Amino acid sequence: MNILLTKVPQVTIFFWIIKILCTTVGETFADFINFNIGLGLTFTTIIMGAAFFIALFFQFKASKYVPLIYWVTVVLISVFGTLVTDNLTDNMGVPLEGSTVVFSVLLGLTFLLWYLSEKTLSIHSIFTRKREVFYWLTILFTFALGTAVGDLYSEQLGFGYLNTGIGVVIIIALVFLAYKVLKLDGVLAFWIAYILTRPLGASIGDYLSQSKVNGGLGLGTTVTSVIFLIAILAIIVFLAVSKIDTNAQSDLAETNQRNANKKHVLTQTIVVLVIFLVVGIGGYNWRSNNLASQGAAGQATLAGQLNDFVKIENDILNAVNKNDFASAKKGADELEHQWDTQEPKLRNIDGATWTKIDGTIDVVLAAVRSSNPDVNKSKTALNNSLSTIDAANK
C-alpha cells in the first residue's frame, strides 16, 4: 500500500465555515454563469466540469494537504455537483424524487464499497490513492444529493430556502447533541453534517442573492459570489499560514474502527437511516397531501392556471421590443418570484408540463438578465416560452 501524507484538513470550526462558504459560492456562482453571463445550463456544466477535473488532477498530484488546491477543488465540486442535479431536473425532466433516490443509492454504495475495501470511512484516513478516489466520489454524491433534497423541500414542496435552511440548522444541531451526549459515532455524525451543509449553504446563497421581490436581500449572484470568494480566500490564507488544519501526526491508528465497536456503529447507522427515512418520507407525504388539498378541485391540467404568467411574459416582451431592459429585468424578477411561489401547486397538478415550461422560463431569465442582453435572443426566448405556456393554458 502506497502511504501518502494526509490529503485532507483536520475537522475544525474553520473546516465547517469554509465548507458552508464553498457551498454557497457553488450555488450563486453557477447561477451567475448560467443567467448573468447567459451561457446556459449545459455549457455552464461543461465549463465547470472541466475546471473541476483540472483542479482534481492537481489535488491527486499533490503529495500532501495543500489548502488552496484542496478548497478550490471543493468549490468546483460543489458547483459541478449542483449542476449535475440541475441538468437531470431541468434538461432531462428527471423528478427531484428520482434524483434523491438515485444519489442516495449511489452514495450508499460508495460508502459500502469504501468500507469493505478499507475498513474505515474516516476523513482522517486519506493516505492512499484508492481512499482518495473513494473520498472525492463521496463528496460529489453528497453535493448532488444535497442539491436534490434541498430543492425538493425548498422549491417543489414550497417550504422556501429560508425555512429549509432553518430546518437544516436544527437537524445539524440535533446531530451534534447526539454526538456529544448520546455518543453518536463521530464518522457517522461527520458525514450526516457534510451532506446537510449543502442545502444550508444553498439556502444562505439564495437568501442573499435573490431579489427582495423573491424574499431575499437582493445582493445578486455577482456580489454574493464575490463576498464569499473573498471570505474563502482570506480563510485559506489564514489556514496556510497558521497550519491549524494540518494534521501534526498520523491518524492512521485512530481511523481503523475496532472490531469491538463495529456492531455498535452498525446499529447507530441503521437507527439514523430509519429516523431520516421516517421523517423525510413522512414530511414529504404530509406536505404533498396538503398541496393536493389546496389545489383546484378535480384540476387535472394546467388549463386556466397560467394567465398571470402569460401577462408577465407579454409585459417583458413589450419592454424588450422597446429595448428597455431595465424594465425587462424587473419583469424577470417578478416572473421568477411568481413561478417559484406557484411551483408546489402547479407541479402537483402536472409535473411533466411544469418541467417543460420551467425550462423555457429558465431560458427567458438567462436571456433577459444577461450582462449584455441581445434583443433578438430575448424575443426568441419569450416567444418560445409564451407558445409553451399558451398551449398548456388552453
Side-chain angles (χ1 to χ4, degrees), residues 239-253:
L239 294 176
V241 173
S242 66
K243 301 188 183 301
I244 289 177
D245 63 340
T246 301
N247 290 322
Q249 59 185 6
S250 173
D251 292 315
L252 188 60

Side-chain angles (χ1 to χ4, degrees), residues 124-367:
H124 296 307
S125 70
I126 315 301
F127 296 99
T128 69
R129 296 297 184 199
K130 182 190 290 188
R131 291 183 181 185
E132 196 171 9
V133 170
F134 278 122
Y135 175 73
W136 287 107
L137 194 59
T138 299
I139 299 301
L140 176 61
F141 289 143
T142 62
F143 277 114
L145 176 60
T147 300
V149 173
D151 288 352
L152 177 62
Y153 280 86
S154 62
E155 297 178 3
Q156 183 168 322
L157 297 180
F159 286 109
Y161 284 104
L162 182 59
N163 290 334
T164 301
I166 293 172
V168 170
V169 169
I170 293 173
I171 297 173
I172 292 176
L174 292 174
V175 171
F176 179 75
L177 286 176
Y179 168 67
K180 286 292 187 180
V181 179
L182 302 179
K183 306 302 179 184
L184 180 67
D185 179 67
V187 175
L188 177 59
F190 169 83
W191 285 114
I192 294 172
Y194 201 99
I195 294 170
L196 291 174
T197 50
R198 195 281 158 197
L200 174 60
S203 299
I204 295 173
D206 282 307
Y207 181 68
L208 293 174
S209 63
Q210 290 294 319
S211 65
K212 294 181 179 179
V213 174
N214 291 336
L217 296 183
L219 297 181
T221 55
T222 305
V223 174
T224 302
S225 297
V226 169
I227 291 174
F228 279 75
L229 282 171
I230 291 174
I232 290 170
L233 181 60
I235 296 176
I236 288 175
V237 171
F238 171 74
L239 294 176
V241 173
S242 66
K243 301 188 183 301
I244 289 177
D245 63 340
T246 301
N247 290 322
Q249 59 185 6
S250 173
D251 292 315
L252 188 60
E254 172 192 329
T255 60
N256 291 320
Q257 297 173 346
R258 297 177 180 176
N259 292 332
N261 293 328
K262 286 182 179 179
K263 185 175 181 181
H264 180 61
V265 174
L266 179 61
T267 302
Q268 286 188 350
T269 303
I270 293 173
V271 170
V272 168
L273 285 174
V274 170
I275 291 174
F276 272 95
L277 285 173
V278 170
V279 174
I281 295 175
Y284 171 82
N285 288 332
W286 169 77
R287 184 62 175 173
S288 295
N289 291 334
N290 279 352
L291 291 173
S293 64
Q294 292 171 11
Q299 188 74 36
T301 69
L302 296 178
Q305 302 289 309
L306 306 174
N307 295 326
D308 289 343
F309 302 106
V310 173
K311 181 180 183 306
I312 293 173
E313 289 205 350
N314 274 317
D315 289 342
I316 298 174
L317 182 59
N318 289 332
V320 170
N321 286 329
K322 297 175 183 177
N323 205 26
D324 181 7
F325 276 95
S327 297
K329 289 179 180 180
K330 290 182 179 178
D333 289 343
E334 176 65 16
L335 175 62
E336 183 180 33
H337 172 63
Q338 293 296 337
W339 187 246
D340 289 345
T341 301
Q342 293 296 315
E343 176 180 353
K345 173 187 172 183
L346 299 178
R347 196 167 190 165
N348 187 66
I349 294 173
D350 187 345
T353 303
W354 181 93
T355 300
K356 185 177 180 180
I357 297 172
D358 184 61
T360 69
I361 288 179
D362 282 343
V363 176
V364 168
L365 296 178

Side-chain angles (χ1 to χ4, degrees), residues 41-53:
L41 186 58
T42 301
F43 198 33
T44 299
T45 304
I46 294 172
I47 292 175
M48 297 313 299
F52 160 61
F53 283 109

